[in-house]
Structure formats: C-alpha cells, structure tokens
Amino acid sequence: MFERDRRTETVAADSERKRARKLTKRGLRVKVYQREREFRTAGGLAVRDITAEVQEAVVESGISDGIACVYSPHTTCCVRVNEFEQGFLEDFATMLRRLVPNDSYYAHDDWDRRTENMCPEDMEAANGHAHCMGMLLGTAGESIPVCDGELSLGTWQRVLFIELDRQRDRRWIVKVVGT
Amino acid sequence: MFERDRRTETVAADSERKRARKLTKRGLRVKVYQREREFRTAGGLAVRDITAEVQEAVVESGISDGIACVYSPHTTCCVRVNEFEQGFLEDFATMLRRLVPNDSYYAHDDWDRRTENMCPEDMEAANGHAHCMGMLLGTAGESIPVCDGELSLGTWQRVLFIELDRQRDRRWIVKVVGT
Amino acid sequence: MFERDRRTETVAADSERKRARKLTKRGLRVKVYQREREFRTAGGLAVRDITAEVQEAVVESGISDGIACVYSPHTTCCVRVNEFEQGFLEDFATMLRRLVPNDSYYAHDDWDRRTENMCPEDMEAANGHAHCMGMLLGTAGESIPVCDGELSLGTWQRVLFIELDRQRDRRWIVKVVGT
C-alpha cells in the first residue's frame, strides 16, 4: 500500500504528540570531531560490529546533538547499519553471492585489457565482483543522528563494517558535527 | 560512456556559470534540530510519502542552510528519496520481491538454529527477507541538502519511508544541522 | 566470518594507536557552503568522475573539517563513491542491466494506466527501469568526511555521478558543513 503524506493520523496521533521531540539548539558554537580506526579484516564477506567504538568516539567528541558520518575510505568495503545476528549475516552473504557471483567474467580483472589504476595486489586476487557488490549495496558510509550524546540507533541496529574483498588492512572514519 | 572529470565544458558552460551558486556563510552560530514522528505502517512493502512532514520540520528548525539527515531507526525499514507514483512503486515492489524472494530459506528465521537477539514478534512472522532487502537497498537514511530553508529536492523527488516487513509501529527521525 | 566488536586488537593495535586521529575543534563558528554544477549526461548508464570539481568546492568553502554532502536532485541519477576504471564501469553496467532489465514491463511506463506525475519527456523514452535501478543503488547522494580541507577519499575512491536514464541535462549539489 502506497500512502501519500497526510497530516492527520488516526492510529498513532496521541503517542506521536508525546514522542515528537522538537529541539532546536541555537546560538551554540559548533564542534567537529574525527576519529579513525584501523584493523585487519577476515576477508570473504566478513562483517564486523563497530558500534561500541563508534559510540565511544561520539562520547569522546563531547558532541551531544548532531550527525555522525561513519565512513569507509575503501572501494570494496562499506559501513552499513543493520542487525548483527549470525543467521542474518549468512543470509546476507548468500544473497550477495547469488546476485553478484564471483566466478563471472569481470573486465576489471581482465589483465589482457586493463590499462588503468594498475594495482599489483589486485593481480594476485581478482576483486571485480567486490566492486560490483559495493555499488549494489550503496554508499561508502552511513550518516546517523546523534542525540543526547548517543547514536540514535534502534533496538536491533548495529553499525557494521563490511569487507567485500579478501583479507586486508582496512580503516574506518567517524566524523561528528554538532554541538 | 564513462567520462573523466574535465574543467572545461562545451555543452553547459554558460548555464553553469549562471547557475553555480557559491555561498559560504561564515561566522554564524550553528543550529541543531531534531524531530521524531511515529506511525503505523501498512506492511508488505508499504511506501509512505513523508516529504511534507520533513519539510515542515525544516521550517520549524529555523535552519536556512545545512544538511537534513532523515533516518529510520529500524533494521527492516529505510528512508529513500525517489518519485511517488503508484506504477513505479509497484515496479519497485515487484523488483525487490524478484531479487529477494520471501519464500527462500533464511537462517535468520530458522528457530531450530537461532540463538541470538531472540525476538518473540519475529517468531510469529519471519522477516529474514526484509533484513536482506534492507541491506540491498542501502543505508537506513538519506542526507539531503537544505538551502534557503527548503529541502533541495528535485522536481519529482519525494522523501519516502519504506516498510519492508509486516504492519508495525515505526518512527523516523529528522536531524538538521546548519545555520 | 562475523566478528563482534572487541576493544582489544592483536593485529593492528600499535598502528591503530599511532593512526587514530582524535580532534575535536570546539568553540568555532560554523561555516555552511553550497555549490551547484550543471552538465549534460551521455545517457545509457553514463558515469562521470566529478571528484576534482567536488574537491575544488571544498577548497573554495574554506571549510577544513566537516561533512560534504554530494547530492543528485534527480530520481534517475545518483552520486556514488567508487573506483573510476573503464573495466569496472562496464562490469557495473552489465550487472545493473542483468538485475534490472529495461525490456521488462514497468507500470511506470504504461501510459494506458498512468494518471500521476504526467511528464511529456517520459512518454518519449520510458524510464521505469531507471527508477528501479536508482532504488536498488541506494540514496541520491553520498556524505564524505572533510579533513584538513580535503575530502577523506581512499586511494582508489572517486566521486561518480551516475546517469541511469537517457541523455539529459542534469545537476549536482555539494553542501559542506563544518569549521
């Protein structure tokens, strides 16, 4: 069912009035904070839960209200928010391998043709499929609201660093802007 | 056709010069605003146009220039910007169900195996496919530029809240940071 | 392999301590900057590398630390960060056409049914598949951390403007918020 925006709500109107938080903090000086972390991934659609480290960075920033941009500076990784549950992560890997099989032909891995961005590491282990997976999954990072000094994550939401390529040294960045 | 970045443009150079808006507002005090809305979704790939409510929040924030982060704190929903047109929304649902069928096996829904994040509601209605759809669609939210007190949406762009799971109580958050 | 967040790292602990950048700039006045660029795309899954122009805008903003939101105000385009390499871009186009074929039925293009958002241009060239591709790829834009006056892009990361529709006049916006 596709619903156009309506101002009047019959179902949730009361709770909405209670829950709607309206806060504008004006006249404050901005704070900008950055933290970077480095680690080695396991490779092969490895997923790492980085929630505690991101939250730690938010606390350290001293920023109570703003936006946290958690970012992967790699072309075959991404940061995504979803549940960390073994079964689901297996389902996710199965889906991704089905939609983007790594045994197809990828021009990116065809060293008889490729003339750009020559990367010796890629010649050892083809990663054309990992680039395609990255594009399919979306952006390099996630932007998450920060409220009262905490990431506004829902009950089951965790911040996940996803490795689409082989085992590699990787890093992620969190940038927080707010007050 | 894949085009490298070029500084000189033959086609759009004139209009570009006219349209390029360059404004840096310096020395202003930052404003941070948050609003949260709650409602009950229809379930089954329901899409709700929340544009007017998000725009209303931007007006209420008093922020004329900045970034609005519209965010779903749920693992089986997301906020996306696209056209709100019945035919397209049907096409979108058809595509999503074709790429992520809900009658496949999902380990997330296998209660003989699952030991983590036990959620009684999930036992009534399996939602492994909805988590996979969420990952495939991308991030939990969208970041949209705000200019002159308005969301910088294009002609056909609308802010959409997408329910990938069954009918549920949901909420979305908009956080605006700027001046 | 799926790894829960751990505070102690055996592999990268030393380099992590060295590399972890912790900077909070407090008490500064915020800067907000916007730039818009217009150009004509080539059509047919054309990809344009706009990195230099985005970086130029960041320099012009005078913002040294913050977040850059690079945004497409179109429903059949998006901005994405990945490698600009001819082979990969071909692989990407092949994958997208395989997952979202343009010769399927799209209700969005069915002018016997459609009653909303009537757009004469769309009647000439069907673009239901391009809308679906846009949803599959994710958000309209990308948020990228800015540090020391530069986009925090990794070695192979480039900012790409992706046209999913036919040849058209398009524009992109970059909004930078920071100090």
Side-chain angles (χ1 to χ4, degrees):
Chain A
M1 189 207 281
F2 312 129
E3 305 169 88
R4 292 209 169 271
D5 194 16
R6 291 165 305 170
R7 299 304 169 82
T8 52
E9 278 288 274
T10 49
V11 180
D14 285 343
S15 56
E16 232 168 69
R17 271 191 290 273
K18 276 181 228 140
R19 295 194 58 159
R21 302 188 52 162
K22 300 177 189 175
L23 58 120
T24 312
K25 298 195 173 172
R26 293 154 193 268
L28 293 168
R29 289 179 180 253
V30 72
K31 290 179 194 168
V32 179
Y33 172 90
Q34 179 168 331
R35 201 188 193 298
E36 194 177 312
R37 295 280 291 181
E38 188 183 320
F39 71 109
R40 190 165 182 83
T41 61
L45 299 186
V47 175
R48 185 184 171 93
D49 184 340
I50 59 171
T51 313
E53 287 176 302
V54 176
Q55 180 55 46
E56 205 174 75
V58 169
V59 169
E60 203 175 284
S61 74
I63 292 169
S64 82
D65 281 286
I67 294 171
C69 174
V70 193
Y71 185 82
S72 148
H74 305 286
T75 47
T76 51
C77 293
C78 63
V79 171
R80 204 86 328 152
V81 170
N82 212 303
E83 188 171 347
F84 189 95
E85 190 275 316
Q86 299 290 328
F88 160 55
L89 296 173
E90 283 178 36
D91 295 335
F92 166 64
T94 303
M95 172 191 73
L96 210 48
R97 289 192 184 104
R98 173 172 56 81
L99 296 177
V100 191
N102 68 0
D103 54 3
S104 297
Y105 171 82
Y106 290 95
H108 184 63
D109 303 328
D110 186 343
W111 296 97
D112 293 334
R113 283 189 48 191
R114 186 150 151 199
T115 56
E116 300 173 298
N117 300 4
M118 305 304 278
C119 170
E121 283 191 335
D122 280 5
M123 299 183 84
E124 292 163 34
N127 69 355
H129 67 287
H131 282 276
C132 285
M133 285 173 173
M135 287 297 263
L136 193 60
L137 292 181
T139 54
E142 285 254 5
S143 290
I144 306 166
V146 170
C147 188
D148 298 332
E150 291 192 1
L151 295 167
S152 298
L153 296 174
T155 313
W156 304 111
Q157 283 187 324
R158 307 292 292 173
V159 188
L160 310 174
F161 185 97
I162 302 172
E163 171 65 84
L164 303 165
D165 210 334
R166 65 189 179 280
Q167 185 175 321
R168 294 180 79 161
D169 291 326
R170 302 294 199 178
R171 59 198 173 94
W172 53 267
I173 296 166
V174 56
K175 192 103 195 181
V176 195
V177 176
T179 56
Chain B
M1 189 207 281
F2 311 128
E3 305 168 90
R4 290 209 170 272
D5 193 16
R6 292 164 305 169
R7 298 305 169 80
T8 52
E9 278 287 272
T10 49
V11 180
D14 284 343
S15 57
E16 232 169 69
R17 270 190 291 273
K18 275 182 230 139
R19 296 195 57 160
R21 301 189 52 162
K22 301 176 189 176
L23 58 119
T24 312
K25 299 196 173 171
R26 293 154 194 268
L28 293 169
R29 288 176 181 254
V30 72
K31 290 178 193 167
V32 180
Y33 172 90
Q34 179 168 330
R35 203 188 192 298
E36 194 176 312
R37 295 281 290 181
E38 188 182 320
F39 71 109
R40 189 165 183 81
T41 61
L45 298 186
V47 175
R48 185 184 170 92
D49 184 340
I50 60 171
T51 314
E53 287 176 302
V54 176
Q55 180 54 47
E56 206 173 75
V58 169
V59 169
E60 203 176 284
S61 74
I63 292 170
S64 82
D65 281 286
I67 294 171
C69 175
V70 193
Y71 185 81
S72 148
H74 305 286
T75 47
T76 52
C77 293
C78 63
V79 171
R80 204 86 327 150
V81 169
N82 212 304
E83 188 171 346
F84 189 95
E85 189 273 318
Q86 300 291 327
F88 160 56
L89 296 173
E90 282 178 36
D91 296 334
F92 166 64
T94 302
M95 173 191 73
L96 210 47
R97 289 191 184 105
R98 173 172 56 81
L99 296 178
V100 190
N102 68 0
D103 54 3
S104 297
Y105 170 82
Y106 290 95
H108 184 64
D109 302 328
D110 186 343
W111 296 97
D112 292 333
R113 282 189 49 192
R114 186 151 152 200
T115 56
E116 299 173 299
N117 301 0
M118 305 305 278
C119 170
E121 283 191 336
D122 279 5
M123 299 183 84
E124 292 163 34
N127 70 354
H129 67 288
H131 281 276
C132 285
M133 285 174 173
M135 288 295 265
L136 193 60
L137 292 180
T139 54
E142 286 253 6
S143 291
I144 306 166
V146 171
C147 188
D148 298 332
E150 291 192 0
L151 295 167
S152 298
L153 296 173
T155 314
W156 304 110
Q157 283 188 323
R158 307 292 292 172
V159 187
L160 310 175
F161 185 96
I162 302 173
E163 172 63 84
L164 303 165
D165 209 335
R166 64 188 179 280
Q167 184 175 321
R168 294 180 78 161
D169 291 327
R170 301 295 200 178
R171 59 199 173 93
W172 53 267
I173 296 165
V174 56
K175 192 104 196 180
V176 195
V177 176
T179 56
Chain C
M1 190 207 281
F2 311 129
E3 305 168 90
R4 292 209 169 273
D5 194 15
R6 291 166 304 171
R7 299 305 169 80
T8 52
E9 277 288 272
T10 50
V11 181
D14 284 343
S15 57
E16 232 169 67
R17 271 190 289 273
K18 275 181 230 142
R19 296 194 57 161
R21 301 191 50 165
K22 301 177 189 176
L23 59 120
T24 312
K25 299 196 174 172
R26 293 155 194 267
L28 293 168
R29 287 176 182 256
V30 72
K31 290 179 193 166
V32 179
Y33 172 90
Q34 178 167 333
R35 202 189 192 298
E36 194 176 311
R37 295 280 290 181
E38 188 183 320
F39 71 108
R40 189 164 182 82
T41 62
L45 298 187
V47 175
R48 185 185 171 91
D49 185 340
I50 60 171
T51 314
E53 287 176 301
V54 177
Q55 180 55 45
E56 206 173 77
V58 169
V59 169
E60 204 176 284
S61 75
I63 292 169
S64 83
D65 282 285
I67 294 172
C69 175
V70 193
Y71 186 82
S72 148
H74 306 285
T75 48
T76 52
C77 294
C78 62
V79 171
R80 204 86 328 152
V81 169
N82 212 303
E83 188 171 347
F84 188 96
E85 190 273 319
Q86 300 290 327
F88 159 57
L89 296 173
E90 283 178 36
D91 296 334
F92 166 64
T94 303
M95 173 191 73
L96 210 48
R97 289 192 184 106
R98 173 172 56 80
L99 296 178
V100 191
N102 69 359
D103 55 3
S104 297
Y105 170 82
Y106 291 95
H108 185 63
D109 303 328
D110 185 344
W111 296 98
D112 293 333
R113 283 189 48 191
R114 185 150 152 200
T115 56
E116 300 173 299
N117 300 1
M118 305 304 278
C119 170
E121 283 191 335
D122 280 4
M123 299 183 85
E124 291 163 34
N127 69 355
H129 68 287
H131 282 276
C132 285
M133 285 173 172
M135 287 296 263
L136 193 60
L137 292 180
T139 54
E142 286 253 6
S143 291
I144 305 167
V146 171
C147 187
D148 297 333
E150 291 192 1
L151 295 167
S152 299
L153 296 174
T155 313
W156 305 109
Q157 283 188 323
R158 307 293 293 173
V159 188
L160 310 175
F161 185 97
I162 302 173
E163 172 64 85
L164 303 166
D165 209 334
R166 65 188 179 279
Q167 184 175 321
R168 295 180 77 161
D169 291 327
R170 301 295 200 177
R171 60 198 172 94
W172 54 266
I173 297 165
V174 56
K175 192 103 196 181
V176 195
V177 176
T179 56

